[in-house]
Amino acid sequence: MFWIMIVVSLLSVLGLSTASKPFDALVIHRPHVDVIAEHNGNITLLSGINGNISILPGANETGSVYFDGEDLLYLIKLVVSLPPVWEEHSPFGYVGEFHSGDRVNIQLKATDPEGTKITYNLIGGELPPGIKLDPVSGILKGLAPNTEDLFTFTIRATDAHGKQADNVFKMLIRGANKCDSNPCTHEGQCHEGNGSYTCRCAHPYGGRTCNLDCRSNSLGVRQSLRWIPDAQMTAHKSNGNSYAYSGRRDGGSWHGVDRDSWLQVDLGNVTRVYGTVMQYAGSRSYTSSYYLQYSTDGDNFHNYTVAGQLTQFSAGASTYTRPLPEPIDARFVRFHPIGWYSSYGPYMRVDVLGCHYYTL
Ligand SMILES: *[C@@H]1O[C@H](CO)[C@@H](O)[C@H](O)[C@H]1NC(C)=O
Ligand SMILES: *[C@@H]1O[C@H](CO)[C@@H](O)[C@H](O)[C@H]1NC(C)=O
Ligand SMILES: *[C@@H]1O[C@H](CO)[C@@H](O)[C@H](O)[C@H]1NC(C)=O
Ligand SMILES: *[C@@H]1O[C@H](CO)[C@@H](O)[C@H](O)[C@H]1NC(C)=O
Ligand SMILES: *[C@@H]1O[C@H](CO)[C@@H](O)[C@H](O)[C@H]1NC(C)=O
Ligand SMILES: *[C@@H]1O[C@H](CO)[C@@H](O)[C@H](O)[C@H]1NC(C)=O
């Protein structure tokens, strides 16, 4: 009531003044109340002692009071509004460890005490490549990258009043867990190592995934493989111009002179040998029995024996796979003929069976 009267008088004085000469100040005096509008733009409202000044935005309270163009209620909310509060994610903001290729889906959450909507933004550090932050939901999503690293990043939660709270997060990315797919067959044990795996194979298996049966796995003397180069095949007392490298299984055949002749294979490295193959050269030219010598250094050769007895392997006019009763670790394997069928000394075409040592 009192207020409305002031406004009315203000308007009437304004109307009066504009009609007359320019004024320096508009001054309304009521008992204990002054309203002063100065020409320089200052407005002064003075109430009497213990008086209140009220600004009412409209009779039914749906209007607004604006302060420098901003809704005064909003400004007040802004001043009293509290910043968002991050939920406890884990000690030190650690959000987890992921292996390369893992699907990441983590809800980061902050709440505003006033209940307004939060938006989330990365303001420091970096997210792992391939992981994205949804600013609306606060969800970290993506596929863990193929790298080994600890990622540290700062996320800012901002409420509708612009109040902010920051939180630092950490995410550890590891290379793919290579043993997870059970790559080792035949009950081989898988060992993680440096982004890869190795298999410790159970006897008698070998190869990178224990997929090879070492008892039948050719080490590559045979003609169709030839992993053993010609230069790694040598012989003692060859017949005529017979070459050691012809003594490969399915090759041309090596031809010795007598029982002092031998054919030697250098496997290139110490290898676990599980057996040998002896193949005939023709129905009337073959070795019928032989023994083996082996060496790791090419200098000191041992006879292959079992319980102190030299092991003699029999063969004939066909192809014979001759497993060793006990596998040996050898780089050099020598085939010594004992008996043969042919008038001109022993013929041999051989192969060596086993697995490379590092794959055992
Ligand atoms: C407005 O009022 C303030 C406070 O009294 C004063 O310091 C200022 O000089 C005034 N502005 C002008 C333009 O006179
Ligand atoms: C002025 O405000 C005080 C405190 O809110 C209140 O107690 C008082 O009644 C008000 N005076 C008038 C005249 O409205
Ligand atoms: C309240 O004010 C609004 C506009 O500000 C108007 O549309 C409405 O009719 C008013 N209501 C009453 C009951 O006066
Ligand atoms: C992994 O391999 C890298 C280079 O190949 C090497 O520097 C590092 O020491 C290896 N780490 C382990 C745990 O073997
Ligand atoms: C020979 O074997 C050893 C392990 O016994 C391995 O470190 C080395 O690389 C091998 N050499 C070749 C040429 O395969
Ligand atoms: C290996 O056996 C052969 C045939 O019995 C024999 O002549 C030779 O002396 C033996 N060599 C060794 C090193 O025992």
Side-chain angles (χ1 to χ4, degrees), residues 268-270 356-358:
N269 210 340
V270 175
H356 288 287
Y357 194 72
Y358 57 89

Side-chain angles (χ1 to χ4, degrees), residues 230-262:
D230 287 351
Q232 284 175 216
M233 294 189 68
T234 49
H236 178 63
K237 289 186 85 172
S238 297
N239 205 323
N241 55 0
S242 168
Y243 293 107
Y245 60 75
S246 300
R248 300 174 185 276
R249 176 180 179 180
D250 303 327
S253 90
W254 169 78
H255 187 190
V257 175
D258 55 26
R259 286 183 71 141
D260 292 334
S261 299
W262 45 253

Side-chain angles (χ1 to χ4, degrees), residues 77-130:
K77 274 188 192 165
L78 209 58
V79 170
V80 301
S81 133
L82 294 168
V85 179
W86 280 100
E87 281 184 9
E88 202 60 50
H89 286 90
S90 67
F92 316 114
Y94 184 68
V95 292
E97 177 176 331
F98 296 89
H99 286 283
S100 169
D102 284 354
R103 199 164 288 282
V104 174
N105 191 333
I106 300 169
Q107 172 78 65
L108 303 183
K109 197 157 174 52
T111 46
D112 176 21
E114 284 81 41
T116 70
K117 214 153 170 47
I118 304 284
T119 52
Y120 302 86
N121 290 290
L122 176 73
I123 59 155
E126 53 177 330
L127 294 173

Side-chain angles (χ1 to χ4, degrees), residues 20 50-51 57 75 104 128 139 207 212 225 256 266 276 287 319 323 325 332:
S20 59
N50 297 330
L75 291 177
V104 174
I139 291 177
L212 303 176
L225 297 177
D266 173 2
T276 57
T287 290
T319 301
F332 300 90

Side-chain angles (χ1 to χ4, degrees), residues 167-344:
N167 204 4
V168 176
F169 296 95
K170 291 185 172 72
M171 192 185 286
L172 184 63
I173 304 288
R174 290 196 179 285
N177 200 340
K178 306 292 186 196
C179 283
D180 281 355
S181 57
N182 297 321
C184 306
T185 60
H186 293 114
E187 296 176 354
Q189 290 174 358
C190 189
H191 297 269
E192 291 270 346
N194 226 350
S196 184
Y197 67 88
T198 50
C199 294
R200 187 173 295 272
C201 302
H203 176 83
Y205 295 97
R208 174 146 173 76
T209 59
C210 306
N211 52 321
L212 303 176
D213 185 336
C214 304
R215 296 166 300 187
S216 57
N217 181 53
S218 170
L219 289 168
V221 181
R222 61 186 301 171
Q223 186 71 17
S224 59
L225 297 177
R226 294 184 66 159
W227 295 329
I228 306 296
D230 287 351
Q232 284 175 216
M233 294 189 68
T234 49
H236 178 63
K237 289 186 85 172
S238 297
N239 205 323
N241 55 0
S242 168
Y243 293 107
Y245 60 75
S246 300
R248 300 174 185 276
R249 176 180 179 180
D250 303 327
S253 90
W254 169 78
H255 187 190
V257 175
D258 55 26
R259 286 183 71 141
D260 292 334
S261 299
W262 45 253
L263 177 63
Q264 174 179 298
V265 174
D266 173 2
L267 297 168
N269 210 340
V270 175
T271 305
R272 188 152 291 181
V273 175
Y274 279 77
T276 57
V277 176
M278 180 62 70
Q279 188 179 45
Y280 69 129
S283 57
R284 296 177 171 277
S285 45
Y286 55 82
T287 290
S288 56
S289 72
Y290 64 101
Y291 70 95
L292 296 173
Q293 287 193 327
Y294 63 97
S295 167
T296 53
D297 58 10
D299 261 348
N300 302 299
F301 280 83
H302 312 278
N303 282 342
Y304 182 80
T305 59
V306 171
Q309 289 291 309
L310 187 74
T311 307
Q312 298 195 18
F313 302 93
S314 63
S318 184
T319 301
Y320 298 85
T321 295
R322 292 300 181 218
L324 302 182
E326 295 289 337
I328 50 171
D329 285 339
R331 174 173 166 178
F332 300 90
V333 177
R334 270 182 195 169
F335 295 81
H336 286 265
I338 300 171
W340 55 86
Y341 185 94
S342 104
S343 325
Y344 312 103

Side-chain angles (χ1 to χ4, degrees), residues 21-65:
K21 65 178 172 59
F23 57 89
D24 281 343
L26 167 65
V27 180
I28 299 171
H29 292 291
R30 303 288 300 180
H32 314 299
V33 176
D34 294 323
V35 176
I36 305 159
E38 292 175 73
H39 188 57
N40 62 30
N42 280 357
I43 293 180
T44 308
L45 304 178
L46 287 175
S47 72
I49 296 164
N50 297 330
N52 298 336
I53 294 176
S54 307
I55 303 173
L56 301 177
N60 68 9
E61 297 182 1
T62 53
S64 299
V65 174

